[in-house]
Amino acid sequence: MGVVTVSKLPVIEIFGPTIQGEGAVIGVKTMFVRTYGCDYRCGWCDSAFTWDGSAKDKVRMLAPEEIMDELTALAGDNFDCVTLSGGNPALIGEGMGILIQLLQERGIQAAIETQGSRWQDWFYDVDVLTVSPKPPSSGMKTDWNMLDGIMDKMKAQGRAAHSLKVVVFNEEDYQYAKSIHRRYPGVPLYLQPGNEDVTEEGDISVRLLGKLEWLFNLVIADPEMNKARVLPQLHALIWHNKRGK
Ligand SMILES: C[S@@+](CC[C@H](N)C(=O)[O-])C[C@H]1O[C@@H](n2cnc3c(N)ncnc32)[C@H](O)[C@@H]1O
Ligand SMILES: Nc1nc2[nH]cc(C(=O)O)c2c(=O)[nH]1
Ligand code: SF4
Ligand SMILES: [Mg+2]
């Protein structure tokens, strides 16, 4: 018997193919792997089941190879990109690094969604890194030392396409987004209107589009935001608050 490496990941859901609904690679067909656990507790988190205990019984500890097999079983070769989200995927060390390698060996892009509260060396290997620092409305406090460190390292390394994405619910959040833009001026900034009710059932697109127009108007009036991009959560316009989309 060979030695078994323990590098399993806590996975709460694997789904797709769907369309990436946010940020730099919006519109691209992608699979999702959502890890369990978060070091934050954002008041408005649209994926609170990844950390609030309500879906704890659905968590599976999976080896990177098992995740690959499940992606293939779900979608065959009908995808070129896998988005690793959570929760905070940056809580996971070795296992995530191995999964990213496995994906890339098969010519599949690895995209990451994380909030910038933790660093992992595998950030260097990611194809698309989205760092989404949290504005005041979340109730979280930004660790500026950590965020500076992450942005410095990504800049110095230069391979992975990285960008910033700030969710904006109110004027104070908008000011926070501006402070992020001033602090990291060379990094593409995406602004995303907040979904104020992540439990509402039925069609929420009119409400979301209203919030998008509000954010459009702030940016339109603001010469400091000439380079920012304002995008909706595209999947939420189409599939609303449905899970696994
Ligand atoms: C659920 S999080 C998981 C990844 C990581 N924890 C993070 O926050 O970046 C994925 C993305 O959804 C965004 N998000 C969460 N709740 C939201 C809401 N109510 N409205 C708009 N965006 C939201 C987050 O800001 C983040 O950019
Ligand atoms: N379609 C779709 N696009 C997304 N982009 C980021 C997501 C996330 O929850 O991390 C997400 C998601 O949950 N679904
Ligand atoms: S950091 Fe991301 S997953 Fe964690 S609570 Fe905030 S939005 Fe949710
Ligand atoms: Mg989501």
Side-chain angles (χ1 to χ4, degrees):
M1 281 257 295
V3 178
V4 179
T5 319
V6 182
S7 52
K8 296 197 172 193
L9 296 79
V11 174
I12 182 89
E13 59 181 7
I14 300 180
F15 64 89
T18 184
I19 297 294
Q20 171 57 259
E22 305 176 17
V25 283
I26 191 168
V28 173
K29 189 195 296 183
T30 185
M31 301 296 287
F32 273 83
V33 176
R34 207 181 281 287
T35 59
Y36 191 76
C38 193
D39 47 326
Y40 277 12
R41 285 180 171 27
C42 299
W44 36 251
C45 180
D46 64 9
S47 306
F49 65 94
T50 64
W51 51 263
D52 68 5
S54 62
K56 222 174 172 195
D57 54 320
K58 304 261 171 9
V59 183
R60 294 176 299 151
M61 293 304 297
L62 296 178
E65 295 79 5
E66 293 176 300
I67 295 173
M68 272 306 317
D69 290 347
E70 223 166 281
L71 288 165
T72 308
L74 263 176
D77 63 358
N78 189 26
F79 65 98
D80 274 346
C81 178
V82 174
T83 304
L84 306 160
S85 186
N88 187 3
L91 296 180
I92 300 159
E94 185 187 39
M96 190 60 82
I98 295 170
L99 176 59
I100 290 163
Q101 267 188 334
L102 282 179
L103 290 168
Q104 292 172 342
E105 278 165 18
R106 287 164 175 73
I108 298 162
Q109 279 208 329
I112 293 280
E113 301 275 337
T114 188
Q115 64 263 38
S117 60
R118 300 285 174 96
W119 168 262
Q120 291 287 346
D121 283 335
W122 51 252
F123 281 11
Y124 288 132
D125 305 323
V126 166
D127 296 287
V128 182
L129 181 77
T130 301
V131 180
S132 181
K134 295 297 173 268
S137 66
S138 68
M140 300 298 110
K141 276 196 83 169
T142 302
D143 177 344
W144 293 104
N145 277 335
M146 175 59 68
L147 190 58
D148 285 349
I150 292 171
M151 300 316 289
D152 280 352
K153 280 186 254 195
M154 294 313 293
K155 188 176 171 182
Q157 189 260 7
R159 192 192 80 87
H162 60 287
S163 60
L164 289 155
K165 177 173 70 184
V166 181
V167 175
V168 180
F169 280 76
N170 55 35
E171 184 69 40
E172 195 187 9
D173 289 355
Y174 183 70
Q175 292 306 323
Y176 174 90
K178 288 180 72 163
S179 71
I180 290 279
H181 199 31
R182 278 186 218 113
R183 199 173 180 105
Y184 313 110
V187 181
L189 174 69
Y190 294 85
L191 301 181
Q192 171 169 306
N195 176 358
E196 277 152 333
D197 185 351
V198 297
T199 60
E200 184 180 352
E201 287 177 25
D203 190 339
I204 60 171
S205 56
V206 171
R207 170 166 62 77
L208 295 180
L209 288 171
K211 197 78 189 179
L212 181 63
E213 185 179 14
W214 165 78
L215 189 51
F216 273 4
N217 285 329
L218 289 182
V219 170
I220 286 167
D222 187 348
E224 272 190 66
M225 288 300 222
N226 293 352
K227 290 191 169 69
R229 295 183 192 200
V230 192
L231 291 178
Q233 286 183 296
L234 195 53
H235 56 297
L237 291 179
I238 306 295
W239 293 301
H240 316 292
N241 281 326
K242 215 185 270 166
R243 193 135 131 207
K245 282 295 190 182

